[in-house]
């Protein structure tokens, strides 16, 4: 038997800053995990769940941008003098 929850028992989502690009990757990921946990719990009212989803999608976009920037930076750092990508083992000393 399922029990209907009352609207007054629904929890409010964790508030997320509007400028997600200023959040460190680790902090943003932690916030995103918290929002996902709230959404998965089913304890949010519809409007709160929509707000949490929107906030989570904003974090996903910001975190994806940070990962893309890191990948680009790594690629630039691993290009050789001729512009070709060079593969080397992690920890390998520069010659």
């Amino acid at each position: 038997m399922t029990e209907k929850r009352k609207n007054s028992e629904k929890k409010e989502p964790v508030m997320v800053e509007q400028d997600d690009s200023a959040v460190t990757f680790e902090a943003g990921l932690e916030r995103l995990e918290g929002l996902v946990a709230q959404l998965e719990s089913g304890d949010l009212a519809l409007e709160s769940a929509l707000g949490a989803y929107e906030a989570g999608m904003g974090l996903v976009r910001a975190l994806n941008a940070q990962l893309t920037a890191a990948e680009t930076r790594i690629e630039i750092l691993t290009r050789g003098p001729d512009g070709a990508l060079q593969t080397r083992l992690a920890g390998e000393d520069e010659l």
Side-chain angles (χ1 to χ4, degrees):
M1 175 165 35
T2 49
E3 182 178 315
K4 290 187 179 181
R5 293 184 183 136
K6 296 178 184 173
N7 255 353
S8 62
E9 294 175 4
K10 302 281 183 176
K11 296 181 183 175
E12 292 301 316
V14 174
M15 296 306 293
V16 179
E17 292 176 14
Q18 293 296 321
D19 185 12
D20 294 323
S21 62
V23 175
T24 66
F25 183 82
E26 292 77 11
L29 188 57
E30 188 175 317
R31 284 182 173 171
L32 181 58
E33 289 170 345
L35 289 169
V36 169
Q38 285 185 333
L39 287 166
E40 288 178 342
S41 75
D43 290 337
L44 296 176
L46 179 59
E47 285 301 316
S48 295
L50 288 172
Y53 179 80
E54 289 173 357
M57 289 307 296
L59 282 167
V60 166
R61 284 189 290 278
L63 295 174
N64 189 40
Q66 288 182 16
L67 284 176
T68 300
E71 288 173 350
T72 301
R73 190 170 167 200
I74 289 169
E75 183 178 312
I76 289 169
L77 293 172
T78 56
R79 285 196 184 274
D82 61 354
L85 288 177
Q86 297 179 342
T87 304
R88 61 186 182 105
L89 298 173
E92 188 176 298
D93 293 329
E94 293 281 327
L95 297 178

